[in-house]
Amino acid sequence: MSNDSPAPVLSPEELVADLLELLDVEDRGGDRFRGRRKKGGVGRVFGGQVIGQALASAERTVPDDRPVHSLHAYFVRGGNEDFEIDFRVERDLDGGSFSNRRVVASQQGQTILNMLASFHKREPGVHHQEPMPEVPAPETLENEVTLRRRAAEAVGRTFRENLRQRPIEMRPVDPGRWIREDAREAISHVWFRSAAALPDDPKIHRAVLAYASDMTLLGTCTMPHEDISWVKGTLMSASLDHAIWFHDDFRADEWLLYTCDSPWAGRARGFNRGRIYTQDDRLVANVAQEGLIRPITPKP
């Protein structure tokens, strides 16, 4: 069969079932776990997959009454879709209120990601938060895949990777960003949720958010620079590190607003921040990431 043959069309439920299987790491004993390959995956492993599987591995070693409150990950090498991913968890601390875990992800004996995660037993405390931005409701916006298809038709280009079905439904507030190639302010707002319902287990919802948090974030630091673009083929990019702070409970199968900005870029790197809100205005997570944004000459 030709590699250009169209992929089978899956229902939202099938897409999410595949995602849940991907994030359900296999316990190999001795705090060792194995993450499955993505079905139909080709080339480089999506960074959100490695983070989600690493978090799922760490959470297997922590009591249920201590949810993760932060993780910090460094991408060491790009993962390969041809292989499963092995995870080794080190139990650095189990204190009165906090637990800490180190996770090393590897393929074929080579490290591809290092992650630290901290878990906190729930306790009461004071509260404040940054207000949720005023943006259109997700029900009034179009799906990202529809917008990308329209953009590809408008500019006469094909974005095969970006037109594939995804288990995460995304609805950008600025639909024109897939067509415009001009410089603009480094701020974006995107609604997202799983494409179908998820089980009630909070660990699954945290893993799905970790998976989705690597989407759209890196692109924010490219927005002020019209001379570098994936659309134009003038950009080489890769996530270098990724951090998430989990503040409160949420469901990843209900609409979440991902508000991203980039306060700095330079020396072939771009720094990005993200805030994740529920529809009832609760700030439930913060994200930060630095990535490689190297200008390149487009291929003829």
Side-chain angles (χ1 to χ4, degrees), residues 3 8 21 23 35-36 48 65 76-77 85 87 89 97 114 135 148 155 180 212 225 229 238 254 270 285 292 298:
N3 290 334
E21 182 178 354
L23 297 175
R36 296 174 175 84
D65 65 348
V76 180
R77 296 179 178 87
I85 304 174
F87 297 91
V89 180
S97 299
N114 289 315
V135 298
R148 285 183 180 271
V155 300
R180 288 203 315 265
H225 310 284
S229 166
E254 296 178 353
L292 174 72

Side-chain angles (χ1 to χ4, degrees), residues 146-285:
T146 301
L147 294 169
R148 285 183 180 271
R149 285 174 179 158
R150 188 179 303 148
E153 294 171 359
V155 300
R157 298 186 180 96
T158 300
F159 308 101
R160 290 185 180 179
E161 182 65 30
N162 290 327
L163 295 180
R164 290 179 180 174
Q165 291 180 285
R166 292 181 176 181
I168 305 298
E169 181 181 1
M170 309 188 78
R171 296 191 182 186
V173 169
D174 179 12
R177 66 181 182 149
W178 303 125
I179 300 176
R180 288 203 315 265
E181 300 178 13
D182 57 319
R184 54 199 186 279
E185 189 177 7
I187 296 177
S188 70
H189 307 284
V190 180
W191 290 98
F192 74 93
R193 66 179 178 184
S194 62
L198 298 172
D200 290 334
D201 186 350
K203 292 181 180 179
I204 291 175
H205 292 261
R206 291 192 290 267
V208 170
L209 183 144
Y211 176 91
S213 69
D214 197 32
M215 297 178 174
T216 80
L217 186 60
L218 181 56
T220 311
C221 65
T222 70
M223 294 170 67
H225 310 284
E226 59 183 335
D227 54 327
I228 59 170
S229 166
W230 289 295
V231 174
K232 296 178 180 178
T234 56
L235 173 64
M236 175 189 294
S237 65
S239 301
L240 299 175
D241 60 359
H242 194 95
I244 308 173
W245 293 264
F246 298 88
H247 305 316
D248 207 347
D249 296 325
F250 59 88
R251 290 192 65 92
D253 52 5
E254 296 178 353
W255 286 116
L256 298 167
L257 178 67
Y258 202 178
T259 293
C260 302
D261 75 305
S262 175
W264 176 87
R267 302 188 180 278
R269 303 191 310 276
F271 177 68
N272 307 274
R273 301 178 296 199
R275 289 172 283 145
I276 299 178
Y277 293 88
T278 60
Q279 272 196 286
D280 60 357
D281 301 344
R282 291 184 302 112
L283 179 61
V284 295

Side-chain angles (χ1 to χ4, degrees), residues 79-153:
N80 190 322
E81 291 279 18
D82 291 339
F83 306 103
E84 296 175 319
I85 304 174
D86 293 310
F87 297 91
R88 184 180 77 249
V89 180
E90 298 291 341
R91 304 188 185 212
D92 288 343
L93 172 71
D94 282 305
S97 299
F98 289 88
S99 294
N100 291 86
R101 297 292 185 264
R102 276 181 296 145
V103 184
V104 177
S106 62
Q107 283 186 323
Q108 303 296 289
Q110 289 194 315
T111 300
I112 64 171
L113 175 134
N114 289 315
M115 189 182 85
L116 291 172
S118 182
F119 302 79
H120 183 202
K121 190 174 183 178
R122 287 287 169 84
E123 57 183 288
V126 299
H127 172 75
H128 72 271
Q129 71 165 61
E130 191 167 0
M132 181 177 180
E134 294 186 8
V135 298
E139 294 81 8
T140 68
L141 302 171
E142 288 188 285
N143 183 282
E144 176 203 37
V145 174
T146 301
L147 294 169
R148 285 183 180 271
R149 285 174 179 158
R150 188 179 303 148
E153 294 171 359

Side-chain angles (χ1 to χ4, degrees), residues 283-297:
L283 179 61
V284 295
N286 267 279
V287 184
Q289 183 186 85
E290 189 176 50
L292 174 72
I293 50 168
R294 180 179 293 155
I296 58 174
T297 301

